[in-house]
Amino acid sequence: MKKPQIPLDELRAQVEACHACPLADGRTQTVFGDGNPNARVLFVGEAPGKNEDLQGVPFVGKAGQNLNALLEIAGLNREDVFIANVLKCRPPGNRDPRPEEIQVCTPFLREQTRTIDPEFIVTLGNFATKFILKTEVGITRLHGTLKMAGRFKVFPIYHPAAAIYDRSKWEALEQDFAYLGELLKRE
Ligand code: SF4
């Protein structure tokens, strides 16, 4: 029998109350995710950074500005899509997520995905891509290629923050978002 979907409000309350890993101790607040609950495209990033932790919203600050500009290239805006992260709390000093944190937190992302039931999952960067595709292949090889994970079409892309420090990534991001726009028209 198909498992019932958990409403997003209920999931958000579960995340807000979560103390299942030590990241709860350092957070200002949890960052559940944001956007259209019926989105055709779910974007999955890595974890909240400083600004996200302060505001409780994913992809604000410079990485958020990059993402907004890139969404426009694909013919999308923030209200069209849903944006979430692998982890719901900020790792100290923006360090990488640890395997045990990913393991304990990702049931929330799994339930979000079941409830939103998108057609496309766009994974932003290595951590989201490796988790969703269950692969050890890195984002450098996978970005810009369409994959399947169960019934979901998965499109890995560099993390928009990567272009803040490495402008060569910006061109790849622009190309991948342009291709995403084509896929959304075609598929
Ligand atoms: S990162 Fe995830 S598992 Fe850890 S406390 Fe936050 S919500 Fe809970």
Side-chain angles (χ1 to χ4, degrees), residues 15 18-24 27 30 87-89 101 104-105 108:
V15 168
C18 180
H19 286 79
C21 86
L23 295 182
R27 73 188 178 208
T30 56
L87 297 185
K88 310 304 187 200
C89 302
E101 292 160 356
V104 76
C105 198
F108 290 129

Side-chain angles (χ1 to χ4, degrees), residues 3 21 29 58 61 70 74 79 93 108 117 130-131 138 152 154 158 162:
K3 222 172 123 190
C21 86
Q29 59 195 313
L70 290 161
E79 290 71 41
F108 290 129
D117 196 23
K130 288 182 174 178
F131 174 71
F152 303 110
V154 179
Y158 283 122

Side-chain angles (χ1 to χ4, degrees), residues 11-125:
L11 276 173
R12 183 188 291 273
Q14 288 179 14
V15 168
E16 283 170 1
C18 180
H19 286 79
C21 86
L23 295 182
D25 300 336
R27 73 188 178 208
T28 306
Q29 59 195 313
T30 56
V31 180
F32 176 70
D34 185 45
N36 183 340
N38 302 306
R40 188 178 173 209
V41 189
L42 169 65
F43 284 81
V44 181
E46 186 176 308
K50 186 171 174 228
N51 293 313
E52 289 78 11
D53 171 73
L54 289 172
Q55 295 183 38
V57 179
F59 284 90
V60 290
K62 185 66 188 143
Q65 285 167 19
N66 281 356
L67 181 60
N68 293 349
L70 290 161
L71 285 171
E72 219 172 288
I73 294 173
L76 295 166
N77 60 50
R78 293 281 287 238
E79 290 71 41
D80 296 325
V81 303
F82 197 95
I83 303 175
N85 283 311
V86 171
L87 297 185
K88 310 304 187 200
C89 302
R90 182 191 181 204
N94 294 350
R95 66 154 168 77
D96 287 348
R98 293 184 174 149
E100 62 275 18
E101 292 160 356
I102 293 174
Q103 192 184 3
V104 76
C105 198
T106 42
F108 290 129
L109 176 62
R110 248 186 234 117
E111 292 301 334
Q112 277 178 309
T113 306
R114 289 184 66 244
T115 301
I116 296 165
D117 196 23
E119 182 184 347
F120 285 85
I121 301 175
V122 177
T123 55
L124 301 167

Side-chain angles (χ1 to χ4, degrees), residues 123 128-135 142 145 147-149 154 156:
T123 55
T129 302
K130 288 182 174 178
F131 174 71
I132 298 285
L133 288 178
K134 305 279 171 271
T135 180
L142 287 176
T145 60
K147 307 282 181 205
M148 293 299 294
V154 179

